[in-house]
Structures are given as C-alpha cells and as structure tokens.
C-alpha cells in the first residue's frame, strides 16, 4: 500500500494528474440531502419569494434524475405537514399551491413521477383531489381532510392506509384499484363514502369506521378478506352486486339506514353476528 501511495504521488507531481477519491454511498447521500435541506427550509419560510424559489428548485431537483423523485416528494409532504392550521391567509393559499404541485407529479401526463410513494400522515388537507393518479403506497393515518376528498379512478400499487383519518365531507373512491391492502380502520366520514366499482386485491379493513351519510359499495370487488365489523352506517349502505372472494365480517355492525345486498356474491364465509339493522334487509 505504501509503494502504491508513493507511485501516485510521483504521478501527480510529474504529470499534474489529480487523484480523486472514489465516491462512496455516504458521499452520494450527502450530495442529495444538502440541496433538499435548503429547499425544505425555503418551502417553510414566511416570505413568499423564498417559498416560490424553493418550489422552483424542488421541481428542478426532482426532474434531474429518477433517484431524486422520492426524496423530493418526502420533503414536500413534510412541508405540508408542518404548515400551521388554520394559519394566516397566506398559509392557506400556500397549502393549495403545495397540494397542486404534489398531485401534478402523481397524475400521468407531463411531469409525472412514476413509482413514488406518498406519506401525508397527520396532515391537514383541503379539497384534496388525488383522482386519476397512479402511485405506490399511500399513508394518510390520522390525516384531516377538509372539504370534499377525491381518490376516484386512482391506482394504488402499494398499501393504502388511512387509519383514524377524518373526512369532513364526502370522499370518493369510485373505480379505484388497490393492488394490495386497504386500511380505513376507525376513520370518520362526515358525508357520503363512494366506493362503487372499486377493485381491491388485498385485505380491506374498515373496522370501527363511521359513515354519517351514504356508503355506496355497488359492484365493488373484494379479492381477499373484508373486515367491516363494528362499522356504523348512518345512511344507506349499498352492496348491490358486490363480490366478496374471501371471508367477510359484518359482526357488531350497525346499519341505521337502509341496506342493500341485492345480487351480492359471497365466495367465502360471512358473519353477521350481533349486527343491528334499522330497516328490513334487501338481499333478493
């Protein structure tokens, strides 16, 4: 090793050759994180010019190479999470700008970032529209959705988790595709929940969810188990022509409104133990 070092020194001295140390994984990580720290600081700044400049650099950083996209999305999600609620009027406008910038990268078309995950757990979102998007996993645990929320015609290639999320008005999942599991355990839906035509390949957990309005699962396809135990349906519950491939449980569920299971198909065992019905069951 000492002879190799002396040879490199002689080569550098006589031929002006610069000996560059090999790039390590740690070096590459530091070069990625350094600009992201500066972008994050400006995205959460008070001055409007700093925020807009940070957003422009955020787009440029993510577009530079595919490896930058996930770290960039994580930083933008963090900026959304740290915004005060309700905050000043400028904060409210900035929240909508960040939401629009985020969703533009998840919807197929110009600027689409394929294969990215989304983690907005514990965030307050307003009129959130993820419709017709395509992404990996999505986490919205304990997230507050104010206004209408849209996930319709969206493809989730990973797990979808929105445990104990709060939906202030209507939420739409119409014709969405879930390649893996869906967790809405303990969620609250103050308006209607539209799930008609969804396709879920993995297990679906709705245990303890509360629907104040209508819950529409017409033509829904559950490819694995469905845990609907302890759910409270305040309005109509529609499972017309739904298909249940695995075990489905409605144990201790309360149907306060009218329920409709007409032409539903149960491929596995089903449980309605201790289920409460406010009206006559429609299952003809």
């Amino acid at each position: 090793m000492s002879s190799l070092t002396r040879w490199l020194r002689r080569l550098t001295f006589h031929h002006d050759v610069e000996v560059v140390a090999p790039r390590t994984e740690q070096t590459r990580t530091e070069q990625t994180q350094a600009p992201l720290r500066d972008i994050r600081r400006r995205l959460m700044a008070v001055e409007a010019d700093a925020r807009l400049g940070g957003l422009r650099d955020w787009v440029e950083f993510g577009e530079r190479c595919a490896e930058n996209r996930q770290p960039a999305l994580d930083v933008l999600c963090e900026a959304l999470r740290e915004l005060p609620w309700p905050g000043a009027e400028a904060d409210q406008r900035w929240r909508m700008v960040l939401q629009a910038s985020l969703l533009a990268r998840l919807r197929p078309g110009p600027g689409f970032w394929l294969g990215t995950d989304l983690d907005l757990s514990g965030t307050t979102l307003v009129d959130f529209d993820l419709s017709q998007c395509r992404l990996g996993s999505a986490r919205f645990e304990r997230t507050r959705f104010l206004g209408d929320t849209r996930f319709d015609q969206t493809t989730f290639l990973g797990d979808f988790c929105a445990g104990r999320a709060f939906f202030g008005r209507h939420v739409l999942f119409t014709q969405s595709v879930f390649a893996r599991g869906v967790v809405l355990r303990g969620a609250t839906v103050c308006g209607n929940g539209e799930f008609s035509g969804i396709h879920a390949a993995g297990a679906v957990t709705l245990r303890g969810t509360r629907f104040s309005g209508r819950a529409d699962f017409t033509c829904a396809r559950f490819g694995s188990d469905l845990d609907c135990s302890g759910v409270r349906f305040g309005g109509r519950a529609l499972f017309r022509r739904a298909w249940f491939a695995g075990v489905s449980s409605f144990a201790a569920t309360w149907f306060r409104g009218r329920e409709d299971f007409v032409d539903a198909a149960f491929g596995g065992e089903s449980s309605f133990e201790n289920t409460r019905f406010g009206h006559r069951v429609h299952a003809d």
Side-chain angles (χ1 to χ4, degrees):
M1 179 62 68
S2 58
S3 60
L4 176 61
T5 302
R6 287 194 298 270
W7 180 81
L8 288 175
R9 288 175 179 172
R10 289 197 300 271
L11 182 65
T12 303
F13 178 78
H14 292 292
H15 301 281
D16 296 329
V17 176
E18 181 180 3
V19 179
V20 181
R23 293 181 60 188
T24 64
E25 187 64 31
Q26 182 178 0
T27 303
R28 286 191 291 268
T29 301
E30 291 175 352
Q31 290 179 350
T32 300
Q33 293 299 325
L36 278 179
R37 284 194 294 268
D38 178 64
I39 290 173
R40 175 184 178 276
R41 177 184 59 80
R42 286 184 288 154
L43 287 176
M44 293 188 288
V46 177
E47 300 81 6
D49 291 343
R51 288 179 169 181
L52 291 175
L55 187 59
R56 286 192 296 268
D57 290 346
W58 175 82
V59 174
E60 181 182 350
F61 178 83
E63 295 287 352
R64 194 173 302 160
C65 67
E67 295 179 353
N68 289 353
R69 294 173 182 175
Q70 188 60 58
L73 278 179
D74 292 341
V75 165
L76 196 64
C77 290
E78 186 177 355
L80 269 168
R81 189 179 298 114
E82 294 298 324
L83 270 178
W85 176 260
E89 183 178 352
D91 294 324
Q92 298 175 27
R93 292 196 301 267
W94 185 237
R95 177 179 287 103
M96 303 307 292
V97 170
L98 292 183
Q99 287 184 190
S101 301
L102 177 70
L103 299 174
R105 309 301 156 189
L106 301 176
R107 189 169 287 128
F112 173 54
W113 292 356
L114 177 65
T116 49
D117 301 324
L118 191 62
D119 187 354
L120 285 168
S121 300
T123 308
T124 298
L125 304 170
V126 180
D127 293 327
F128 191 68
D129 185 358
L130 200 68
S131 61
Q132 302 179 25
C133 289
R134 181 183 176 90
L135 62 156
S137 62
R139 303 186 66 87
F140 299 99
E141 295 172 344
R142 298 183 181 275
T143 297
R144 292 196 304 168
F145 296 91
L146 305 183
D148 292 337
T149 305
R150 302 191 59 172
F151 297 102
D152 48 308
Q153 301 181 43
T154 296
T155 299
F156 298 94
L157 301 177
D159 292 320
F160 179 92
C161 301
R164 301 194 179 279
F166 175 84
F167 298 92
R169 289 192 64 191
H170 309 311
V171 55
L172 285 76
F173 287 92
T174 308
Q175 297 181 0
S176 288
V177 176
F178 302 90
R180 300 184 65 180
V182 179
V183 177
L184 278 166
R185 181 194 298 267
T188 300
V189 181
C190 295
N192 298 331
E194 300 290 342
F195 297 84
S196 58
I198 68 167
H199 287 68
V204 176
T205 302
L206 297 172
R207 179 191 292 265
T209 296
R210 299 290 185 264
F211 294 94
S212 296
R214 180 183 66 252
D216 189 351
F217 292 88
T218 301
C219 295
R221 298 291 183 265
F222 300 99
S224 186
D225 298 341
L226 169 65
D227 184 359
C228 218
S229 58
V231 175
R232 178 169 176 169
F233 293 100
R236 297 186 66 188
L238 307 176
F239 289 89
R240 182 183 291 263
R241 297 189 299 279
W243 181 63
F244 305 88
V247 176
S248 53
S249 174
F250 293 88
T253 295
W254 187 9
F255 294 93
R256 292 191 63 191
R258 296 186 180 276
E259 57 287 321
D260 189 342
F261 285 87
V262 173
D263 294 331
F266 292 87
E269 296 182 359
S270 59
S271 172
F272 287 86
E273 183 179 0
N274 296 324
T275 301
R276 301 169 63 183
F277 298 95
H279 296 270
R280 182 170 62 89
V281 179
H282 296 267
D284 297 334

